[in-house]
Amino acid sequence: MSPFSASQCNGPCIGPRLAVQHRQVFCQTLDGITLASEQCSALPRPVSTQNCWSEACNVHWRVSLWTLCTATCGSYGFQSRRVECVHTRTNKAVPDHLCSWGPRPANWQRCNITPCENTECRDTTRYCEKVKQLKLCQLNQFKSRCCGTCGKA
């Protein structure tokens, strides 16, 4: 039989459905008087740490689909997705630290990093109408990405 109670498996998660629990081990007399650990050195020391099964650790990272890329070409495009730790059985979100035993998937990445063609002026982001409405076309960083829309009268 395990020296720890199975109902007390509430340590940090270290894997899917797996946690680690700790307890303090003292050297003491049968009356409960604590002694120096050297006085117990001839006795086998009970374990102070062990792995245990925990339903709270029955979790995994869930990711949504990537959003559309913010650019059609060039080096400014990025896309994002939602990443959350969820309970496998209930599929409900739980605190991220419960999934920290596994690497967290990326929640953003660069996209459409192919060079834009210089022969014709084309918008390289889908926000160009908003850029023009906000009168940002005179700024070079917006003018170069929205040259099609900004060039229209």
Side-chain angles (χ1 to χ4, degrees):
M1 185 167 157
S2 170
F4 292 88
S5 166
S7 65
Q8 293 177 350
C9 185
N10 57 6
C13 298
I14 58 171
R17 298 185 57 187
L18 191 62
V20 62
Q21 59 185 351
H22 305 279
R23 69 177 177 183
Q24 291 186 338
V25 177
F26 300 100
C27 175
Q28 59 184 208
T29 66
L30 293 175
D31 307 7
I33 299 170
T34 302
L35 303 172
S37 58
E38 306 86 53
Q39 293 178 286
C40 290
S41 60
L43 300 171
R45 181 179 175 90
V47 295
S48 59
T49 303
Q50 75 173 11
N51 294 347
C52 56
W53 294 107
S54 172
E55 185 60 22
C57 296
N58 191 8
V59 294
H60 67 276
W61 291 111
R62 178 175 63 191
V63 295
S64 66
L65 296 175
W66 290 106
T67 60
L68 290 174
C69 188
T70 59
T72 55
C73 64
S75 60
Y76 300 108
F78 75 92
Q79 56 191 162
S80 61
R81 65 182 177 181
R82 194 172 59 239
V83 176
E84 57 188 348
C85 182
V86 296
H87 194 273
T88 303
R89 190 174 39 79
T90 65
N91 217 25
K92 290 187 177 175
V94 296
D96 282 0
H97 76 270
L98 294 175
C99 287
S100 63
W101 49 265
R104 187 180 202 279
N107 62 348
W108 75 276
Q109 67 181 7
R110 291 187 175 276
C111 54
N112 290 338
I113 53 176
T114 56
C116 297
E117 295 176 18
N118 292 334
T119 55
E120 110 183 34
C121 182
R122 293 188 318 174
D123 292 343
T124 61
T125 179
R126 57 187 174 141
Y127 300 112
C128 291
E129 286 299 324
K130 192 54 109 176
V131 166
K132 189 169 184 175
Q133 284 175 355
L134 295 171
K135 301 183 180 356
L136 297 173
C137 286
Q138 67 266 20
L139 300 174
N140 281 340
Q141 70 258 33
F142 293 111
K143 188 176 188 176
S144 63
R145 285 187 248 166
C146 298
C147 61
T149 301
C150 289
K152 291 177 190 171

